[in-house]
Amino acid sequence: MITNPDVKVSIEHLYKHFGAETAVKDFNLDITQGEFVTLLGPSGCGKTTTLRCVAGLERPEEGEIKIGSETVVAPAKDIYLFPEHRNIGMVFQSYAVWPHMTVFDNVAYGLRVRRASSSEIKTRTMRALELVGLDHLAGRFATKLSGGQRQRVALARAIVYEPEVILFDEPLSNLDAKLREQMRDEIVRLQKEVGITSIFVTHDQSEALVMSDRVVVMDKAVIQQIGDPEDIYANPVNSFVANFIGVTSLLEGKLTARNGEACEVEVPSANGGAPLQLRGAGAPGAQPGDAIFLNLRPEDVQLHLEAPDVSDGRNVIEGQVIDTIYLGSFLEGRVRAGGHEIGIQIDHYENLSPDQTVWLTFQPEHGLCLTD
Ligand SMILES: Nc1ncnc2c1ncn2[C@@H]1O[C@H](COP(=O)(O)OP(=O)(O)O)[C@@H](O)[C@H]1O
Ligand SMILES: [Mg+2]
């Protein structure tokens, strides 16, 4: 096996079962030095279990995990290192700070356990507290802290002994919206500043898109897609990923013809009317007759109040307004066409009334065709 020295964490063919249930199935991922990788997916898809296998809190039945050059678990080779023998820091959803200790002692604990000298403990603890902006509260008892401050203590505690990797399991979910955004930005800043390799778990797609260098989308114990945020958003590999990341309309139909990337898709009407005949792109390998999801992002759809001229090859769909929601800088709307709902984004003011007839157009390259 060729080992890339930039790879900090390598997970290969990881399997974890609980009784008859498969929590993680054939998980493969290499994470490079300094990278911020997020495991994203709905509740129960196996994110925490994967993270706990890296931490040593769960023992997988199959696979191999390396941290740096060290194999930390490999059942086939009878290798398993306890969590305390793995060079990792952890930040979880529950703050897990010790209330009977000061902020300083909470953070210093990990260094004391590792028998660092007292001058080293002082320097490194204060440095970690400075990084999270809590140096002025070093002497305060943890019970006297706000939720955000406790989460910062947890963060300082995880980075103080400079682990090779830091693991985050939904650390922001207990915070209110405003604090969540602030902590999110702080974690990203800190991560870049310290340059520490990070694995972050969340079910919140916007958190994943904002924070990550790469996102691993999971569903039902299986990795669906790995990519940077832009790639995952623009080029989802299947309808699950398309639906989970951002807002989208998925029109279910079948391929009627294809020419290279260009696809013709017929979407049957859901209310007995004529089917929608649309042009999209993608679905390499799909043949006429195959089922297709046509994925349409709201920002790629243009709204018209009069029938538009589409001699330039755009798709046009006639429909009726369902409703619109005012979101400050733009409107979100829903239009019903052929019994299907299509989401649109309107960035200039339009006075639309329910049931009003409108026309939607989109370029064929924006109708991403997916086969599953
Ligand atoms: N200790 C456990 N015992 C039994 N089943 C578990 C245990 N931990 C997790 N599971 C199951 O494994 C699956 C994956 O769980 P988990 O990794 O916690 O998902 P996520 O973090 O993505 O929400 C779920 O179906 C969950 O019920
Ligand atoms: Mg979880």
Side-chain angles (χ1 to χ4, degrees):
M1 190 176 75
I2 303 161
T3 38
N4 176 349
D6 286 341
V7 172
K8 201 53 164 177
V9 181
S10 137
I11 306 174
E12 275 181 31
H13 302 300
L14 190 74
Y15 282 82
K16 175 69 195 169
H17 300 87
F18 293 107
E21 195 192 340
T22 306
V24 180
K25 187 174 174 182
D26 197 16
F27 188 105
N28 292 277
L29 179 68
D30 279 349
I31 302 172
T32 55
Q33 168 60 44
E35 205 180 6
F36 194 111
V37 170
T38 297
L39 309 185
L40 171 69
S43 175
C45 72
K47 308 178 296 294
T48 294
T49 304
T50 306
L51 206 65
R52 287 171 61 85
C53 287
V54 177
L57 299 167
E58 296 289 354
R59 296 179 73 143
E61 295 86 21
E62 283 180 55
E64 181 160 344
I65 302 176
K66 279 185 174 179
I67 298 176
S69 55
E70 185 168 43
T71 300
V72 294
V73 65
K77 299 176 189 167
D78 218 12
I79 297 174
Y80 167 76
L81 297 190
F82 285 100
E84 56 271 30
H85 295 138
R86 301 183 186 193
N87 197 3
I88 45 176
M90 287 182 258
V91 183
F92 293 137
Q93 181 177 345
S94 51
Y95 310 123
V97 293
W98 295 296
H100 57 283
M101 286 188 196
T102 62
V103 167
F104 184 93
D105 288 338
N106 257 285
V107 176
Y109 182 84
L111 294 171
R112 294 205 168 109
V113 169
R114 285 171 174 76
R115 306 199 179 285
S117 71
S118 64
S119 67
E120 194 184 350
I121 290 173
K122 178 131 205 282
T123 319
R124 288 170 77 169
T125 301
M126 288 315 291
R127 161 95 180 121
L129 286 174
E130 267 167 44
L131 278 168
V132 300
L134 281 185
D135 42 325
H136 63 296
L137 295 180
R140 185 172 287 189
F141 276 92
T143 40
K144 301 267 183 341
L145 299 176
S146 70
Q149 289 168 333
R150 279 183 216 193
Q151 198 52 298
R152 285 197 186 92
V153 172
L155 199 54
R157 210 167 53 184
I159 60 174
V160 72
Y161 52 88
E162 294 168 17
E164 287 190 277
V165 185
I166 187 162
L167 309 177
F168 298 91
D169 194 356
E170 313 234 8
L172 307 179
S173 350
N174 275 345
L175 306 175
D176 65 55
K178 187 133 195 198
L179 192 56
R180 189 158 61 223
E181 262 183 38
Q182 193 186 331
M183 283 300 293
R184 183 189 76 192
D185 297 347
E186 263 182 53
I187 289 177
V188 172
R189 175 191 59 78
L190 189 73
Q191 195 267 340
K192 294 291 169 231
E193 201 171 319
V194 182
I196 194 165
T197 308
S198 304
I199 312 179
F200 189 97
V201 159
T202 182
H203 64 275
D204 180 333
Q205 51 102 9
S206 62
E207 218 164 85
L209 293 184
V210 170
M211 299 181 83
S212 318
D213 295 320
R214 269 194 307 160
V215 180
V216 177
V217 186
M218 296 179 73
D219 186 37
K220 300 191 176 80
V222 175
I223 294 180
Q224 305 292 313
Q225 187 167 5
I226 303 176
D228 63 40
E230 294 78 13
D231 188 37
I232 297 257
Y233 184 84
N235 303 304
V237 294
N238 59 31
S239 57
F240 172 82
V241 176
N243 217 8
F244 200 76
I245 312 284
V247 178
T248 202
S249 307
L250 284 166
L251 298 170
E252 247 183 288
K254 69 170 200 285
L255 192 68
T256 51
R258 78 169 308 139
N259 181 4
E261 270 279 286
C263 297
E264 286 180 33
V265 178
E266 182 175 280
V267 178
S269 164
N271 61 7
L276 303 174
Q277 305 289 351
L278 302 171
R279 285 179 306 282
Q287 295 307 317
D290 289 352
I292 290 287
F293 292 94
L294 191 131
N295 176 48
L296 197 50
R297 298 285 186 190
E299 64 271 25
D300 293 329
V301 181
Q302 282 78 48
L303 172 78
H304 308 264
L305 303 183
E306 315 267 328
D309 169 18
V310 288
S311 50
D312 61 356
R314 278 178 297 169
N315 288 286
V316 63
I317 302 172
E318 185 179 334
Q320 278 73 40
V321 173
I322 301 170
D323 55 17
T324 56
I325 321 168
Y326 182 65
L327 288 171
S329 53
F330 63 97
L331 295 173
E332 243 175 43
R334 295 186 301 160
V335 169
R336 187 176 306 287
H340 305 282
E341 237 178 67
I342 299 174
I344 56 171
Q345 187 175 307
I346 314 158
D347 43 18
H348 52 102
Y349 182 75
E350 296 283 3
N351 198 3
L352 298 172
S353 23
D355 294 329
Q356 178 181 345
T357 294
V358 292
W359 288 262
L360 308 178
T361 58
F362 68 95
Q363 298 290 352
E365 65 265 29
H366 289 145
L368 179 65
C369 293
L370 301 166
T371 47
D372 69 335

